[in-house]
Structure formats: C-alpha cells, structure tokens
Amino acid sequence: MSVLPLVFTSGWASGVNAYAVVLLLGLFGATGLSDQVPAALERPDVLIAAGVLFLCEAVADKIPYVDSVWDSVHTVIRPIAGAVVGALLAGQNGSLPDLAAGAVGGSTALLSHLVKAGTRMAVNTSPEPFSNIALSTAEDLGVAGIISFAIFHPLAAAVIAGTLLLIGLVTLVVLWRKIRRFRRRRAQRREEKRLAAGVPRPPE
C-alpha cells in the first residue's frame, strides 16, 4: 500500500504538535509495533529530544498568549517537521518519491498549523484560561489518537485527518468573522456613548 495516507496524516498531526508525532512514531518503531517507521526516528537521542520538547509544548500550549507566541515560533518548525517526517516515511516505504512526500507532509502541516494558531488567537480573546487548557488537551489527545490509528489503519486515518482539517478551516473562518463583527459593534457602541456624552473625538 502507498505510504501517502500515513504521510498526509502525519503532516496534519505535525501542524498541531510536531514533537508528539516524532515521539509517537519513534516509539512505535523502536518497540517493533510498526515496520513503517524509519530508523532515524527510532534513535534514542531523537526520542529524548522529542520527549523534552513535547513536555515544553504541553506546558506552553496551555497558557493564554504564551501559546500564540509558541505558535509563531513554530510557523516554520512544524511545516519543516511535517516535510521531513513525510520524506523519511517515503524513503522507508519506497512507494512514493521523497520530494513528493515532503511536499505533501509540509503543506498539510502548514495548513493545520494555521488552523491551530488562528483558533488559539481567537480563543485568547476570552479572559479565562480554561478554554486554552481544554483545547490544548483535546489537541494532544487527538494527535496521539490519530497517529496511533494511522499506524494500523492509514487510509481511514487520512480520511479523518482530512475531515478535521476541513472542519478546522471552516471553523477558523467563522470564528474570525464573529470576532470582527463583535469588535465593530463594540467600537460602534463606544462611539455612540462618546457622542451621547458630548466628548470630542480625540485627534488622530
């Protein structure tokens, strides 16, 4: 079977949490649960580094505004990780050129990263931190579940990942439209209050 479904799924997951993808794939390969994982991901130093960075992301990702800074830094890292993982998977399988696999993994990771980062910026408009914690936990569990499922059922996992990506893009557009309407209405109410109080407009 072509490795493309696994590349696509790992790309989507890398855009959400690249370190979790590397860690999970490496563990599946190192424990012998899958022979599709390249040896480069099974190396102890790679697993240790991925584990430490995953723990760092697990903390940063649950703190309002810190998560957005973290996402900004990873705008480049996550797509690159998706591309590298995709190329390594293709090289291990041999059914898809490395360059094509890297393009699929990287572009999918970029799209899912944009969904994640944009959604987090929208959620950060809420003053309470619980939305971030719940969303971050759901993302971590989702990545773990979809990667584990993809190892044994790559095609079905790719369909799920594609559906989640589409839903995420639509949700992001809806959220930002609502936020823009809310900000316009708030600015309008402030202007009406200012006019009612007879306060002159401040100079620009």
Side-chain angles (χ1 to χ4, degrees), residues 3-193:
V3 76
L4 181 59
L6 182 57
V7 169
F8 179 84
T9 303
S10 65
W12 173 85
S14 294
V16 179
N17 192 325
Y19 305 124
V21 173
V22 173
L23 180 61
L24 285 169
L25 288 176
L27 289 174
F28 274 115
T31 55
L33 292 174
S34 173
D35 58 359
Q36 300 185 68
V37 179
L41 299 180
E42 300 175 11
R43 290 169 42 181
D45 56 334
V46 173
L47 291 174
I48 292 172
V52 171
L53 290 169
F54 168 74
L55 291 177
C56 293
E57 177 152 336
V59 175
D61 209 37
K62 294 176 176 58
I63 303 174
Y65 297 104
V66 173
D67 59 346
S68 292
V69 174
W70 184 271
D71 285 337
S72 298
V73 173
H74 285 74
T75 300
V76 175
I77 296 174
R78 287 171 182 158
I80 290 177
V84 171
V85 170
L88 288 173
L89 289 171
Q92 175 77 4
N93 183 273
S95 63
L96 184 69
D98 295 5
L99 185 60
V104 171
S107 58
T108 307
L110 177 61
L111 286 175
S112 62
H113 165 76
L114 293 176
V115 169
K116 172 179 175 151
T119 303
R120 286 308 183 84
M121 290 177 66
V123 170
N124 281 336
T125 59
S126 173
E128 45 79 27
F130 303 107
S131 299
N132 294 73
I133 295 173
L135 189 56
S136 175
T137 302
E139 289 170 351
D140 292 342
L141 293 175
V143 167
I146 198 72
I147 289 296
S148 301
F149 188 58
I151 290 294
F152 304 103
H153 305 283
L155 187 57
V159 172
I160 295 172
T163 302
L164 290 173
L165 180 60
L166 181 60
I167 292 173
L169 290 169
V170 172
T171 302
L172 182 61
V173 171
V174 171
L175 277 174
W176 278 106
R177 283 181 176 176
K178 287 185 176 181
I179 290 172
R180 287 178 61 187
R181 285 198 296 268
F182 170 77
R183 288 178 174 174
R184 282 199 299 266
R185 286 197 297 267
R186 185 172 62 178
Q188 185 177 0
R189 285 196 296 268
R190 287 178 178 175
E191 181 67 11
E192 290 173 351
K193 289 180 180 179

